[in-house]
Amino acid sequence: MQSLHPTQLGSVKFSANDDNFAVTLLTQCRSDSAGFFNLLSGTKPLYIEQWLDYLKEQDEISHYRQEVVAFEPEQYCEKLCLEDEQAEHLLALLYQVGGFNKLQVSRFIKQRKNLASMATRYSKEDLARYLKLGEAINYILQIKSHKPK
């Protein structure tokens, strides 16, 4: 499951080597916080944790293990492996948070190699924002193109 915070919606990938176990996990998913939810349509880690706790209490499963991936760029690259659609969505969110529109981003991408032009066109604060945007775009592309070992 990919989610930045336990209370934020994230996409879910699921595989199991036992059909009965898969049906148990995917049927009638419920949490204290949300009631019933659909695991595969995307959910919050908090809901999954509460669902697994419930299954453990009902002796449907004996234990489970949860792994949180800390923010370490090398580890993120290996674990995330963003698909094109996910990377595009992440970039769109980044533009929105930074207050950029597509025209501004296109202009920045075209001019980013000409620092003298950028220095005269943008204020010091805007230039710093655009340079951070460039770093973020490069990092997203790095994560997207990273192949697991």
Side-chain angles (χ1 to χ4, degrees), residues 1-3 8-13 39-43 48 86:
M1 159 156 225
Q2 292 180 356
S3 180
Q8 288 185 324
L9 203 64
S11 63
V12 176
K13 292 182 182 176
L39 180 68
L40 293 181
S41 68
T43 189
I48 293 175
Q86 292 171 314

Side-chain angles (χ1 to χ4, degrees), residues 116-131:
S117 170
M118 287 182 69
T120 58
R121 181 174 288 240
Y122 300 106
S123 70
K124 190 174 182 175
E125 294 80 20
D126 282 345
L127 186 57
R129 281 181 54 232
Y130 279 101
L131 292 176

Side-chain angles (χ1 to χ4, degrees), residues 3-4 6 8 15 28 39 52 54 58 76 88-89 111-112 114 137-138 143:
S3 180
L4 187 61
Q8 288 185 324
S15 67
Q28 301 294 313
L39 180 68
L52 293 173
Y54 172 79
Q58 299 299 313
Y76 255 46
E88 288 298 322
H89 182 69
Q111 297 174 352
R112 69 179 178 223
N114 187 349
I137 290 171
N138 287 336
I143 290 173

Side-chain angles (χ1 to χ4, degrees), residues 52-71:
L52 293 173
D53 284 340
Y54 172 79
L55 291 174
K56 189 174 175 190
E57 289 170 9
Q58 299 299 313
D59 290 327
E60 296 281 339
I61 59 175
S62 60
H63 70 281
Y64 69 90
R65 182 174 53 103
Q66 178 177 324
E67 178 186 356
V68 176
V69 179
F71 184 76

Side-chain angles (χ1 to χ4, degrees), residues 11-26:
S11 63
V12 176
K13 292 182 182 176
F14 178 82
S15 67
N17 56 6
D18 181 293
D19 291 342
N20 291 331
F21 180 62
V23 169
T24 298
L25 284 176
L26 296 174

Side-chain angles (χ1 to χ4, degrees), residues 37-108:
F37 65 93
N38 184 335
L39 180 68
L40 293 181
S41 68
T43 189
K44 298 177 181 182
L46 177 67
Y47 298 167
I48 293 175
E49 186 177 348
Q50 290 173 350
W51 175 229
L52 293 173
D53 284 340
Y54 172 79
L55 291 174
K56 189 174 175 190
E57 289 170 9
Q58 299 299 313
D59 290 327
E60 296 281 339
I61 59 175
S62 60
H63 70 281
Y64 69 90
R65 182 174 53 103
Q66 178 177 324
E67 178 186 356
V68 176
V69 179
F71 184 76
E72 296 175 21
E74 298 80 23
Q75 198 175 30
Y76 255 46
C77 290
E78 290 176 19
K79 300 268 182 179
L80 288 181
C81 298
L82 292 176
E83 297 171 7
D84 290 344
E85 186 178 295
Q86 292 171 314
E88 288 298 322
H89 182 69
L90 185 57
L91 284 171
L93 289 173
L94 182 66
Y95 299 157
Q96 188 177 17
V97 167
F100 298 101
N101 63 43
K102 288 197 180 256
L103 179 62
Q104 290 171 317
V105 173
S106 296
R107 193 176 299 141
F108 165 73

